[in-house]
Amino acid sequence: MGDPNYLYYKGQEILLDFTPAFTVMKTAKLRCLITAYLLALLNPNPVVAASIDGAEPAVLEEVVVTGIRGANRAVIAVKQAAQQIMDTLAADDIGKFPDINIADSFRRLPGVNTLFDSDEGQFVVVRGIDPDLNFVTIDGMVVASQDDEGGRRVNLEVIPGTAVNRLDVYKTQTPDLDGNAIGGNINMVTKSAYDTGDLFFTAELFISHYSLDDVPDDRDDGLGGRAGFTFSNTFGVEDRFGLVLSASFNRKKRDEQKTSNDTYRYDNALDTPVNKQIRTLQYTNSWDRYGGSAKFELRPNDQLHLFFNNYYYTQEEEEHRNFVYLEESGDEVLNLREYSGEITAARNTQRYSYRPTDRENRGHHVSVEYYLNDRHKLDVDLAYSQSVYDRPFDDFRFRTEEVTQLGYRYDMTGTFTTLILNDPDYIVDPTHYTFDKGSFRHERQEEKVKEFKVDYSYNMEGDALGWGVKTGAKYRDSRRAYDWDEWEYRLASGAGDLTLTDFYSSVDYRPDHYDYPIFIIDHNAFNAYYAANRSDFGFDVNEGQEADSIKWSTEDDYQFKETVSAGYVMARYATDTFQLITGVRYEQTNVQTAAFSFNENDGSFTPNTNRGDFTDVLPSMNMSYSISAQTKLRAAFSQSIGRANPGDTSARQNVSVEDNGDRIIQRGNPNLKPRQSNNVDLSVEYYFDAGDGLFSVAIFRKDIKDLIFDATTASTDAEGFETTIISQQNANNADINGLELALIKNSFDFLPAPFHQLGMAVNITFIDAQMTYEDSGGKTVTLDHLLEQPDFLANLSLFYGSEKGELRVAYHYTDTYSDGLRTDGKTREERLWTSYGQVDVHARYQLTEHTLLQANSRNLTDKHRTRVTGDKGSLFSENVVFGRSFWLGLSYTF
């Protein structure tokens, strides 16, 4: 069932603005009003609304709203009717969001940032909070994580925009929302056949081109593109059945260039950075993304609404990497200055890596809504979600000796580090490179989540007045298995040297911001040689390579199980102008992990298991007050948690014994408590232009305690031997303050024609945070930022629309942020992504009643992503180039 505050007609949500006189009417009179609204939409001519209780008839005119204006109108209506502070993004009339994937689209919302993998978004950051501390759902039920780093973050690049109808970010808690959401509750609302109540079909076919395709390879570059469709309809007697089907396919081909200088040392009298390594990485990538969903709905009467939703989305990536590392040998530096010097000797490495990656998300969700009567409602949901991350590696490298010919002068004072080799001809001679080693690796993570919840509510519908209550319970069982295998090989003794001479295709390619040409490895030639000469390769037993491979293939493996049992009770009191929602949520968490304990002294592995459990009681309160028909004031207080990541709680343990008998133990900690946050929010929302305009101001504060960081403890036993334990602990605190401003104005109606068809949507966010922790010496240290937290975010969208077409130019800006906090006293080596602004353009033209011609461009100004390090980000660290992308296509809708 849709929100009772709305009618749904041809994909458009229409807010029913009940005045106090209407809210107390009998059911029959309410239906009369609804009929009048529907007649106004169905009839292209003005009609007179039915008179109710002698009220003056009102003339209702048809308003046709399409494209971004229609999406904005839906956004405004949802935000106005929401029971807490939240933001939303709605698909337009043909089911489109403004970006390629869902993660990209989320960054258009106030206070929301997206972490990118070069040109596309992956993980969503809400109000500067680590993505691991969001709770991500589809239709309110959790989505399994694909995070291969052991975290909880959900990679959203796999899910296409055709999969959902609306993207919601709940920024304040109510007791019926999961408490594991210090950042926010992120919900993707799927399409319903009853959104339109009629047949709806849209299909699209696009071709795409990426401007960066210069890296030499044997891939068929060609054109990429995407295709997909969405179908929905109601059928049967009195439209009791509904069906929504969607499918999509997206093929992307593009190259990527990275130049890095992120390795320094400071061990010199001048305390100045000394360059240790310069590298360049050249990628050729191809992505195939495909999948779909099927949603069956049943509404046999006004009391029972049921749906069964199924989805499957996958992303298959082919990635070829050519690496080049030029790295110093020894510690001798001549003519050392603050940011320059001469490295007397160095070696160069040419490395190739093949990394195909498969990501999958699938799920099933049964939802039942049963209205016992006008005021009593029962909701039951049962869901299953599964994710898979699977990546094999094929990697080998050739190296030079450490020679003075590769010594170099470096200068880090410019935007990019420059270098001058002692002998430039040496670096491009393949006979100087001999085979060093290769490896086969395989990384796989699979997570399965089962979830069940039941909710009962009385008098809690959006327009209900007086007291209402809601209570419910949820049970979730999450299981994750992580496996890493690695086998390393070298040339066997007596096999002789193997040079690069026969294993490269070119040495003419010169990457951007790198001063010398590089070899492009012919991986097919090397793999053929390896297969034909298998006996020449193997372990070097004398160097312990076989034992290393066994260790590497075991020490990081783990299994993780987490069960969460939750219950809540909440009350709501509402008048015509005031609403209060308050209550408490209880969550009981049990963690079990299994892994191995590795003893470096004898190379043995022992199975190891850990358990942990904890309880959280989370109160919350949300209030809203309508100062006028257009102005709404909201305030909220809530408590939320952020559970420890599975990788941090795992039972992995590494025990090493020093020569003097002391022991060092590194291990996971299943007893890590959730991070806890006290959240305070206040907002003012002003609605104008009869549902076409919104201005909002929101301020927030989060006080977070029990942050999780590495901790070292030491103790001495009776025999005088010291045991040092390195493990993560709850120790540190942080606070974050922010301001969000947003404006939507669908038309500049104060301008003369045709300029009155201009519109604008803009939002800006200011964030200020600090974190306090104790360093290894026991000293209290304060950082002025959190992980992945920018100080400033901004979105600006300008659009012009008419009956025949629409043009939209969107700009997104993210300020500098850290991608890895340094709490080891070396904060000057912390790496920061610098500020980044991207311009995207969308145009559409109505060719026929049902057919649209569309064109899109991403990163129109060809911006790069740059990372810096050093004191206050004074040194270049990495530059990532991925180019522009262009899309041209047709969509057909009826």
Side-chain angles (χ1 to χ4, degrees):
M1 180 178 181
D3 191 311
N5 285 323
Y6 302 95
L7 294 177
Y8 297 86
Y9 178 71
K10 293 187 176 180
Q12 177 185 344
E13 287 184 321
I14 305 154
L15 177 64
L16 299 183
D17 186 10
F18 294 117
T19 65
F22 288 153
T23 56
V24 296
M25 290 190 298
K26 300 291 186 181
T27 301
K29 295 179 181 179
L30 180 58
R31 288 176 178 170
C32 181
L33 175 64
I34 293 174
T35 302
Y37 268 80
L38 285 175
L39 287 173
L41 290 167
L42 291 168
N43 193 330
N45 300 314
V47 298
V48 178
S51 177
I52 303 173
D53 281 351
E56 290 295 324
V59 177
L60 302 178
E61 296 184 358
E62 181 191 34
V63 178
V64 179
V65 183
T66 61
I68 190 172
R69 283 195 173 91
N72 285 342
R73 178 171 285 189
V75 164
I76 293 169
V78 170
K79 186 175 179 69
Q80 186 174 17
Q83 296 189 346
Q84 67 243 78
I85 297 173
M86 58 90 69
D87 285 292
T88 187
L89 191 70
D92 65 17
D93 54 306
I94 60 172
K96 286 182 62 63
F97 286 97
D99 299 286
I100 291 177
N101 68 44
I102 285 177
D104 277 1
S105 293
F106 269 112
R107 68 192 164 120
R108 308 293 181 186
L109 294 174
V112 179
N113 183 35
T114 298
L115 302 182
F116 274 68
D117 179 16
S118 299
D119 64 320
E120 285 194 40
Q122 290 185 317
F123 306 105
V124 176
V125 178
V126 179
R127 291 180 162 179
I129 302 295
D130 188 330
D132 289 315
L133 304 183
N134 293 326
F135 193 73
V136 181
T137 60
I138 295 179
D139 289 328
M141 304 301 279
V142 71
V143 179
S145 169
Q146 301 171 358
D147 182 21
D148 61 303
E149 299 294 331
R152 295 179 180 269
R153 57 187 62 186
V154 177
N155 189 326
L156 295 177
E157 69 176 332
V158 181
I159 304 176
T162 56
V164 298
N165 195 45
R166 202 175 72 226
L167 307 176
D168 294 339
V169 178
Y170 293 95
K171 298 177 176 178
T172 62
Q173 293 289 112
T174 51
D176 55 343
L177 292 177
D178 198 286
N180 191 57
I182 292 178
N185 274 276
I186 295 174
N187 187 40
M188 294 166 278
V189 182
T190 62
K191 294 176 171 64
S192 168
Y194 294 93
D195 288 344
T196 63
D198 200 354
L199 173 65
F200 175 81
F201 176 82
T202 183
E204 65 176 18
L205 179 63
F206 279 77
I207 58 172
S208 65
H209 169 69
Y210 285 76
S211 64
L212 185 61
D213 57 1
D214 302 330
V215 179
D217 70 334
D218 55 6
R219 181 192 67 188
D220 176 20
D221 286 328
L223 294 173
R226 70 175 187 263
F229 77 89
T230 301
F231 164 86
S232 70
N233 198 14
T234 56
F235 54 94
V237 178
E238 297 181 346
D239 290 329
R240 293 178 179 175
F241 301 97
L243 180 65
V244 182
L245 301 173
S246 70
S248 64
F249 175 81
N250 185 330
R251 171 165 292 172
K252 181 174 78 168
K253 299 180 178 181
R254 66 129 176 87
D255 295 342
E256 180 182 334
Q257 298 178 351
K258 289 184 181 179
T259 303
S260 299
N261 184 36
D262 56 1
T263 306
Y264 314 104
R265 59 181 175 85
Y266 285 83
D267 52 343
N268 57 79
L270 295 179
D271 193 34
T272 189
V274 174
N275 173 265
K276 292 180 64 176
Q277 183 187 90
I278 298 177
R279 63 185 178 186
T280 182
L281 298 84
Q282 310 303 305
Y283 299 66
T284 59
N285 298 87
S286 298
W287 289 263
D288 282 347
R289 279 175 281 201
Y290 54 89
S293 62
K295 185 176 185 179
F296 176 76
E297 300 175 88
L298 173 64
R299 298 189 176 185
N301 50 52
D302 291 340
Q303 284 73 47
L304 179 62
H305 301 158
L306 178 148
F307 74 72
F308 179 37
N309 188 38
N310 307 271
Y311 61 86
Y312 173 80
Y313 299 105
T314 187
Q315 174 177 289
E316 298 175 354
E317 178 181 358
E318 296 282 327
E319 179 177 280
H320 300 265
R321 295 185 179 185
N322 276 275
F323 295 70
V324 178
Y325 307 135
L326 181 64
E327 52 194 340
E328 70 166 343
S329 302
D331 296 330
E332 186 176 5
V333 185
L334 302 179
N335 299 318
L336 182 61
R337 301 289 185 269
E338 187 175 7
Y339 292 115
S340 64
E342 295 181 24
I343 304 298
T344 57
R347 70 178 176 185
N348 200 44
T349 301
Q350 289 278 166
R351 177 180 167 192
Y352 167 82
S353 183
Y354 173 55
R355 304 186 181 194
T357 306
D358 290 345
R359 300 179 186 270
E360 294 181 9
N361 270 109
R362 69 181 70 201
H364 313 283
H365 180 189
V366 176
S367 177
V368 179
E369 288 183 334
Y370 182 65
Y371 290 81
L372 286 74
N373 55 38
D374 289 344
R375 295 194 173 191
H376 297 268
K377 180 186 175 188
L378 181 68
D379 294 273
V380 180
D381 290 89
L382 179 65
Y384 171 82
S385 178
Q386 178 182 355
S387 70
V388 175
Y389 172 89
D390 190 273
R391 171 180 275 184
F393 297 76
D394 177 7
D395 191 284
F396 57 86
R397 70 189 188 188
F398 290 78
R399 270 184 167 173
T400 71
E401 297 293 333
E402 299 177 350
V403 293
T404 57
Q405 290 94 324
L406 293 178
Y408 58 90
R409 285 176 284 166
Y410 67 87
D411 188 335
M412 298 186 287
T413 57
T415 303
F416 303 105
T417 299
T418 60
L419 59 96
I420 300 175
L421 290 174
N422 291 344
D423 183 0
D425 293 333
Y426 192 95
I427 201 171
V428 293
D429 187 339
T431 63
H432 294 146
Y433 297 81
T434 57
F435 178 77
D436 180 62
K437 67 178 180 179
S439 65
F440 297 108
R441 291 171 284 170
H442 189 191
E443 182 181 20
R444 180 179 175 86
Q445 176 182 290
E446 185 172 3
E447 182 168 283
K448 299 178 180 179
V449 184
K450 300 175 183 176
E451 195 170 42
F452 171 78
K453 71 172 183 175
V454 58
D455 301 279
Y456 164 77
S457 60
Y458 167 76
N459 201 40
M460 292 290 289
E461 299 299 319
D463 61 333
L465 301 181
W467 282 100
V469 295
K470 186 177 182 180
T471 187
K474 176 187 281 190
Y475 178 80
R476 181 168 63 251
D477 182 298
S478 303
R479 304 189 182 207
R480 176 183 294 188
Y482 178 83
D483 180 72
W484 174 273
D485 294 306
E486 182 169 355
W487 182 73
E488 187 176 280
Y489 60 92
R490 297 179 186 261
L491 279 170
S493 300
D497 290 335
L498 183 66
T499 70
L500 185 57
T501 304
D502 296 324
F503 306 115
Y504 72 95
S505 58
S506 94
V507 70
D508 302 320
Y509 179 67
R510 187 188 299 265
D512 286 351
H513 313 302
Y514 195 74
D515 296 311
Y516 297 93
I518 68 170
F519 290 96
I520 298 298
I521 300 292
D522 186 342
H523 58 97
N524 291 322
F526 179 81
N527 289 337
Y529 181 90
Y530 178 86
N533 300 273
R534 183 66 186 82
S535 61
D536 288 347
F537 298 90
F539 294 115
D540 187 333
V541 177
N542 293 329
E543 294 189 13
Q545 291 173 15
E546 184 171 10
D548 285 343
S549 292
I550 294 172
K551 175 188 175 185
W552 295 331
S553 299
T554 308
E555 64 181 348
D556 288 332
D557 298 350
Y558 70 89
Q559 293 184 336
F560 171 84
K561 178 184 177 182
E562 179 183 81
T563 60
V564 178
S565 303
Y568 73 91
V569 61
M570 58 188 284
R572 174 179 179 266
Y573 178 74
T575 69
D576 297 334
T577 58
F578 175 77
Q579 177 180 264
L580 169 68
I581 297 176
T582 187
V584 65
R585 184 177 184 89
Y586 170 90
E587 295 193 349
Q588 171 69 37
T589 305
N590 178 271
V591 175
Q592 302 176 48
T593 69
F596 293 94
S597 176
F598 175 69
N599 191 325
E600 286 190 354
N601 193 44
D602 59 10
S604 64
F605 281 95
T606 305
N608 189 34
T609 59
N610 282 331
R611 292 175 179 268
D613 61 83
F614 41 86
T615 299
D616 295 282
V617 178
L618 306 171
S620 63
M621 178 181 296
N622 284 260
M623 295 179 289
S624 66
Y625 177 68
S626 296
I627 300 173
S628 67
Q630 295 176 294
T631 306
K632 181 171 287 189
L633 176 67
R634 300 182 190 267
F637 168 79
S638 63
Q639 291 184 338
S640 53
I641 61 172
R643 295 187 180 90
N645 290 334
D648 296 334
T649 64
S650 72
R652 295 178 291 192
Q653 181 166 285
N654 189 318
V655 181
S656 61
V657 181
E658 302 295 295
D659 293 339
N660 63 0
D662 292 344
R663 296 200 312 163
I664 299 175
I665 302 174
Q666 295 177 296
R667 65 189 182 196
N669 183 0
N671 294 310
L672 287 171
K673 296 182 295 184
R675 290 144 287 200
Q676 299 181 13
S677 179
N678 291 325
N679 316 300
V680 179
D681 295 80
L682 181 67
S683 76
V684 179
E685 301 161 5
Y686 177 67
Y687 299 88
F688 58 95
D689 287 352
D692 269 350
L694 163 67
F695 176 69
S696 66
V697 179
I699 58 175
F700 62 90
R701 178 177 174 85
K702 295 178 182 291
D703 291 306
I704 308 171
K705 66 178 182 178
D706 291 333
L707 289 175
I708 298 171
F709 284 92
D710 289 332
T712 301
T713 58
S715 61
T716 303
D717 61 20
E719 298 178 1
F721 295 111
E722 185 177 76
T723 298
T724 300
I725 299 176
I726 303 173
S727 181
Q728 292 199 307
Q729 303 290 338
N730 297 100
N732 309 317
N733 302 310
D735 60 71
I736 185 166
N737 301 282
L739 169 67
E740 297 170 348
L741 305 171
L743 171 67
I744 298 175
K745 185 165 177 59
N746 257 347
S747 62
F748 291 176
D749 46 13
F750 55 87
L751 296 177
F755 301 106
H756 68 291
Q757 296 185 16
L758 283 168
M760 177 179 69
V762 59
N763 61 72
I764 59 176
T765 304
F766 301 91
I767 302 174
D768 177 66
Q770 67 177 15
M771 182 182 70
T772 303
Y773 67 96
E774 286 190 3
D775 64 14
S776 57
K779 180 182 177 181
T780 300
V781 180
T782 300
L783 289 180
D784 63 355
H785 59 279
L786 305 180
L787 178 68
E788 294 161 343
Q789 172 252 310
D791 289 340
F792 180 70
L793 297 168
N795 286 289
L796 172 62
S797 176
L798 296 174
F799 49 91
Y800 180 88
S802 66
E803 293 183 2
K804 296 297 290 182
E806 181 178 85
L807 174 67
R808 176 174 60 219
V809 180
Y811 176 73
H812 174 83
Y813 176 86
T814 301
D815 205 0
T816 299
Y817 64 87
S818 169
D819 72 344
L821 289 176
R822 297 297 298 259
T823 58
D824 56 2
K826 298 181 180 180
T827 54
R828 66 179 175 182
E829 297 181 33
E830 186 174 357
R831 296 185 302 182
L832 307 168
W833 285 107
T834 61
S835 59
Y836 177 81
Q838 180 171 308
V839 177
D840 303 322
V841 178
H842 169 76
R844 55 192 264 179
Y845 182 78
Q846 195 84 38
L847 294 175
T848 69
E849 181 183 358
H850 300 290
T851 307
L852 277 174
L853 175 67
Q854 298 187 70
N856 300 299
S857 174
R858 287 172 54 83
N859 192 25
L860 185 64
T861 57
D862 196 20
K863 292 292 186 180
H864 306 170
R865 296 187 185 274
T866 303
R867 191 156 53 180
V868 295
T869 187
D871 294 308
K872 298 181 180 179
S874 58
L875 298 176
F876 162 70
S877 172
E878 182 175 85
N879 184 65
V880 183
V881 182
F882 43 84
R884 307 176 179 93
S885 61
F886 304 93
W887 302 76
L888 180 65
L890 292 172
S891 61
Y892 180 80
T893 304
F894 68 84

